[in-house]
Amino acid sequence: MLASADPDQLAARARSALSCPAAASMVVRGTEHLFGGEDLGLQDRDGVPTLVCRRGSVVEHAGAARQKALLRLISGVVEDDSTTESVVLAGRLAVPEPCCDPSMSAVAIEPSIIMLIRTNADGTSRQYRVPTALFRSPVHALNEGYLLRCTEHMNECHDAELRQAVSLCTGTPAPYLAGAAIAGLSPQGVEVQWVDGDGAHLRRVAFERRASTPDELATSLRDHLHSGLC
């Protein structure tokens, strides 16, 4: 819940939408481009919205020409009261840079205006101007959207590692585990839930120190749960 229009809180909410968008689109040169598939992706690179596009594409050419762009994001984080958030970001495209995949280019958006729109369950909405400098602040690297995306990734891609971690921590033989998953993740620790012959269980594992960057969070997860987590 957004208690006030505190600039830091606004920046954190907007950054969360960038880290974990439920849907995203961009308008450049009067044409709307939808993200998804292999031709156009969106990444949060240290608070810089970055488009990953095919070399020779319209988006890459627009970046080379430093065209203006309008990015729209719908946050994948939904509050308990069903309030949804979206972000509209206007800025200029940066000169394309090479990616590790030689068939792709990375085109950053240099935002000049960032607006956060909160829509209530009854359809009413309110807009907030987000300070661009705070939006890029490393303080918001481990935002709620980023943590949600990490949780979803571990549960979808690391089932075997989570089962092994629970088995080692609890002494429960792996064949007796019906399932294991991450129930919550924060910079301070992680909540692991599992089901065995005795029912459902939940345990919180506290990190030795608070993580402040994605690398520190990844290290803490590997140190406290399983070395194969990424």
Side-chain angles (χ1 to χ4, degrees), residues 15 18 44-49 89 109 111 114 132 135-137:
R15 184 78 172 270
L18 175 62
D44 174 1
R45 296 190 177 182
D46 298 325
V48 178
L89 184 152
I109 301 178
I114 303 173
T132 55
F135 179 80
R136 294 190 57 178
S137 171

Side-chain angles (χ1 to χ4, degrees), residues 208-229:
E208 293 179 4
R209 66 172 185 170
R210 186 184 192 278
S212 58
T213 68
D215 286 343
E216 289 181 1
L217 180 66
T219 298
S220 293
L221 287 169
R222 289 193 292 266
D223 289 345
H224 290 81
L225 287 184
H226 195 283
S227 60
L229 295 175

Side-chain angles (χ1 to χ4, degrees), residues 9 20 70 75:
Q9 194 173 10
C20 185
L70 188 69
S75 179

Side-chain angles (χ1 to χ4, degrees), residues 82-103:
S82 298
T83 297
T84 59
E85 293 179 331
S86 58
V87 171
V88 176
L89 184 152
R92 192 173 294 276
L93 298 177
V95 175
E97 296 183 355
C99 290
C100 53
D101 183 344
S103 68

Side-chain angles (χ1 to χ4, degrees), residues 110-123:
E110 301 169 351
S112 56
I113 298 176
I114 303 173
M115 299 297 298
L116 174 70
I117 301 98
R118 289 175 53 82
T119 303
N120 301 315
D122 61 5

